[in-house]
């Protein structure tokens, strides 16, 4: 039986009509990891070898994400709004959405874009690129 942290990684081998639900599930997995203090581990594990996190003021490669998440103040909660999916062939897609995340009483709103691809060699869905822009 799979642990909740493992979610459904590796349970799907092709993109089907449930692509929006699949990619939203992957996004929520990332957010839950961040809230639990394991965001760096999650992103390092799920990013492709040459993936990038493009954040306001910094671009991080896979090897830099764990330290960046450890240095960031923890988040308390998040919301996702207005998701849109762009299909990229049979084994990839882009999820675009607006996020709102709280640290205490302070909320931050960002426009997010994450490119996912299905990589059987990596055990399932992987992040090829993730970009965050202020709203």
């Amino acid at each position: 039986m799979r642990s909740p942290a493992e979610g459904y990684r590796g349970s799907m081998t092709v993109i089907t009509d449930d692509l929006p639900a699949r990619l939203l599930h992957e996004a929520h997995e990332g957010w839950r990891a961040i809230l639990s203090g394991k965001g760096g581990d999650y992103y390092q594990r799920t990013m492709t070898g040459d993936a990038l996190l493009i954040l306001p003021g910094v671009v991080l490669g896979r090897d830099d994400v764990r330290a960046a998440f450890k240095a960031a103040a923890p988040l308390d909660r998040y919301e996702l709004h207005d998701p849109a999916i762009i299909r990229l062939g049979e084994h990839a897609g882009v999820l675009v959405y607006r996020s709102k995340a709280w640290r205490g009483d302070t909320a931050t709103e960002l426009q997010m874009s994450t490119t996912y691809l299905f990589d059987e060699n990596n055990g399932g869905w992987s992040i090829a690129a993730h970009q965050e822009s202020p709203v």
Side-chain angles (χ1 to χ4, degrees):
M1 180 161 182
R2 246 177 241 155
S3 74
E6 290 174 319
Y8 295 98
R9 289 187 59 76
S11 66
M12 187 172 144
T13 58
V14 296
I15 291 179
T16 64
D17 288 338
D18 72 344
L19 181 64
R22 177 81 260 158
L23 297 188
L24 278 169
H25 172 83
E26 295 298 323
H28 284 292
E29 285 284 311
W31 279 102
R32 284 191 290 270
I34 291 167
L35 292 181
S36 71
K38 298 177 182 173
D41 295 335
Y42 172 83
Y43 278 91
Q44 189 167 50
R45 183 180 70 251
T46 60
M47 290 171 69
T48 63
D50 58 351
L52 295 175
L53 261 64
I54 305 157
L55 310 173
V58 65
V59 176
L60 301 171
R62 182 177 180 204
D63 295 336
D64 302 319
V65 297
R66 186 172 280 137
F69 274 98
K70 280 188 176 191
L75 293 172
D76 299 312
R77 64 188 173 104
Y78 74 95
E79 295 175 356
L80 303 184
H81 300 277
D82 308 320
I85 303 294
I86 303 164
R87 292 178 185 268
L88 302 173
E90 290 187 33
H91 299 285
V94 179
L95 171 63
V96 177
Y97 61 91
R98 187 173 49 83
S99 72
K100 191 169 186 178
W102 285 265
R103 284 185 174 96
D105 294 333
T106 303
T108 301
E109 290 189 64
L110 296 166
Q111 189 68 40
M112 306 279 209
S113 173
T114 307
T115 302
Y116 293 96
L117 59 92
F118 191 82
D119 180 359
E120 291 184 26
N121 296 324
N122 193 31
W125 289 95
S126 295
I127 296 170
H130 174 83
Q131 182 171 358
E132 301 178 4
S133 303
V135 173

